Amino acid sequence: MVAVKARRRLGMDYQPILEQIHAEIRPLLDQGRVADYIPELARVPGDKFSMAVRTVDGRSFAVGAADERFSIQSISKLFTLVIALQIAGDELWTRVGREPSGNPFNSLVQLEHENGKPRNPFINAGALVVTDVILSALDNAIETVRDLLRGLSGSADVDFDLGVARSEQETGHRNKAMAHFIKSFGNLKNDPDRVLHAYFHHCSLAMSCRELCEAALFLANDGFAPLSGDRIMTPKLVKYINSLLLTCGTYDAVGDFAYRVGLPGKSGVGGGILAVMPKRFAVCVWSPGLDDSGNSLAGTRALELFTTLTGESVF
Ligand code: GLN
């Protein structure tokens, strides 16, 4: 009992654990499949790996290319939601649900049965509606998401990868179909092409594991940004967002992710996964090879090892 208390007070040294994980996941790096439906993402080498941890008491740990930026893709949906909730509050939930979809992140089928109201903000359909909400309220909705991430991460040069945005603009027929379909139900207020343009830019933001940890730390820190001390959200909204991450953040693999990892988290098809342990830390992993649900294969395993080896998860 005394030993446990002492360890908690001093804070765990995560570095040897990250190094052990790095060694253990090496054989998995070539087992996933790099997203190739966005041609620009297909060019990223599949053997990249990095992982970073940032604690609320100010410590940082990392292995691999933790300062190398990658395409954050759907991880941006978390930050778009933060802005939309600040704009619309509970009104948002009249236009998008809060239930896991049980379907792939880019599926259209439920939308037909559910009259164009997406199941949750973390699947593509939901993020399109969320993007529509911020477009209606802000003159510069595209830059606002980037600027939030610049401020939270402390990296003033975080930016869009315009090659990735263009690549998706040219090939994103499924997202285009989805936006027009939602519009047909009246659940987009803006022109669908404008919504898509903003959405593709948000997905194209490039950040490193270290920067993403910094940006998400307010979710582990009762809503306060560690760098500025600013309150980003009330504890109540932080609870809501973390709950949504746990139940909807990793698409139709969300049950498996909760079972194995036990942390609220958000993945993207660039191979990043960002997760938080309330009151303790943010952790981010990047490995571009994906599993069948579009989540990083080695990344999920790395997070599973992390929570198992540290004994720290929300459960
Ligand atoms: N830009 C990607 C898409 O819309 C994001 C999907 C993801 O990261 N899961 O398909």
Side-chain angles (χ1 to χ4, degrees), residues 37-38 73-74 77 105 124 168 175 199 203 251 267-270:
Y37 74 99
I38 302 173
Q73 291 296 317
S74 280
K77 293 176 169 71
F105 64 83
N124 288 12
E168 206 174 356
N175 283 323
Y199 169 78
C203 288
Y251 321 119
S267 59
V269 291

Side-chain angles (χ1 to χ4, degrees), residues 72-88 92 121-124 126-135 138 141-142 144-146 148-149 152 160 195 198-205 218 233 241 266:
I72 73 170
Q73 291 296 317
S74 280
I75 297 175
S76 64
K77 293 176 169 71
L78 160 57
F79 298 95
T80 322
L81 176 66
V82 165
I83 294 168
L85 274 177
Q86 282 164 344
I87 290 169
L92 183 69
F122 294 146
I123 50 173
N124 288 12
L128 288 167
V129 173
V130 169
T131 303
D132 185 63
V133 167
I134 70 169
L135 267 176
L138 305 169
I142 296 182
T144 301
V145 176
R146 179 197 63 191
L148 174 69
L149 282 164
L152 288 172
F160 310 108
V195 178
Y199 169 78
F200 291 144
H201 275 78
H202 296 154
C203 288
S204 83
L205 283 160
F218 75 94
M233 299 202 112
I241 292 206
K266 184 75 208 81

